[in-house]
Amino acid sequence: MKANHNQVWAKDPWSAKELIIMVLLSFVLVPWLVEVKLYALLEKWLGNALYAGTLMGFVLSIVYMASLYFIALYPNKAGWSEVGLRSFPRKYWRDILLWSVAVLALGTVMLLMMTLFGGGYDNSKTESLQTHANVLGILIAVAAGGVISPIYEEILYRGFLYRWFRTRYGAGWALFLSSSLFTIAHIPTYNTLPLNFASGLIFAWTFEKTGSVVPGIIVHGLTNTVGVLLTVFA
C-alpha cells in the first residue's frame, strides 16, 4: 500500500502514553534485562561473544516488535502500515543507492578523523567479529547487522518514534529527537556515535520523503553489511 504523504504526517493513532511506555521499555527495562543480564548468560553458555550478541539481537527484535504491536498497534486497531511498512515509489531506488554511498562515505571520513586524532574504529563488536572471522561467523554477523537490526530499528526509531515526533513537532525536531535516541541506544560503542547520529538523520529523511521505512531498512542493511565485510577483511 502506498502512503499518502499528507495523511502520514497529519496524525497518528498514539498518545503520550504509548511513547512513554515504549521509551521506558527501550531505554531502561530491555537494556537491563536483555543487553546486560541475558547477554551475560548467553556469553557464558555459548562461550562465544559473536554468537551471544547475535542471539541477543534476535531476542531484541522479537521483544521490540511484540511490544510495539501490543502497546501501540493492537490497542488502537492499527496495522503495521502505521509504522511505515508500506511500499515506496520505484524512482526512489536511485536515492537509496545515493544515501547508501553517503553513509559509507561518512563512515570513512569519521574513521579517518578518529585515526588522525589517535583513536580507532575498534570496539567490542568489531573485536568479537574479528576474533570469529570464519565463514559461519561472517554469515551470522551479516544476518544480525544487515537484516535483523535494520528491520526492527527502522520500525521502532523511524516508524514509531520519528512519526510520533513528526506529527506533533515537525520534521526538524523529529529528525533531531529520533536520531538522538537512536544514537543513545548504541552506547557504549562510543566511537560509532557520530556516525549513528548522522545515519539516523539519513534513515529518517528517507521515511520523511517516502512515508515508508523500507528505504531506510535497505540503506541501513546495505551499509551495515559493507561495514561487517570491511571489518573482517580490513
Side-chain angles (χ1 to χ4, degrees), residues 33-109:
L33 286 177
V34 178
E35 297 183 41
V36 176
K37 297 295 184 180
L38 179 61
Y39 177 77
L41 289 174
L42 290 173
E43 188 174 23
K44 183 178 180 179
W45 175 45
L46 297 171
N48 184 306
L50 178 61
Y51 296 169
T54 301
L55 189 54
M56 181 193 71
F58 184 67
V59 172
L60 283 174
S61 68
I62 294 174
V63 170
Y64 283 136
M65 292 302 93
S67 300
L68 193 59
Y69 179 76
F70 287 109
I71 292 169
L73 298 181
Y74 181 75
N76 294 290
K77 296 181 173 58
W80 289 100
S81 62
E82 294 290 351
V83 286
L85 282 179
R86 303 182 176 97
S87 61
F88 61 93
R90 291 183 181 179
K91 63 181 181 181
Y92 203 77
W93 274 103
R94 183 189 65 175
D95 298 81
I96 289 173
L97 295 176
L98 292 175
W99 285 125
S100 298
V101 171
V103 172
L104 292 172
L106 280 170
T108 302
V109 170

Side-chain angles (χ1 to χ4, degrees), residues 114-130:
M114 286 189 291
T115 304
L116 182 63
F117 289 102
Y121 70 91
D122 288 327
N123 53 53
S124 59
K125 293 181 180 179
T126 59
E127 290 170 359
S128 173
L129 178 56
Q130 291 169 343

Side-chain angles (χ1 to χ4, degrees), residues 191-211:
N191 59 350
T192 68
L193 296 186
L195 180 59
N196 294 142
F197 184 78
S199 60
L201 293 174
I202 290 173
F203 302 150
W205 186 247
T206 66
F207 185 32
E208 171 70 26
K209 299 303 290 183
T210 64

Side-chain angles (χ1 to χ4, degrees), residues 144-159:
V147 180
I148 297 174
S149 292
I151 291 174
Y152 82 79
E153 288 181 351
E154 291 309 306
I155 293 173
L156 175 62
Y157 291 100
R158 262 58 71 174

Side-chain angles (χ1 to χ4, degrees), residues 156-179:
L156 175 62
Y157 291 100
R158 262 58 71 174
F160 177 73
L161 291 174
Y162 178 83
R163 188 178 177 200
W164 198 99
F165 294 129
R166 172 65 170 85
T167 301
R168 292 157 181 81
Y169 306 121
W173 276 110
L175 285 164
F176 174 76
L177 292 171
S178 63
S179 298

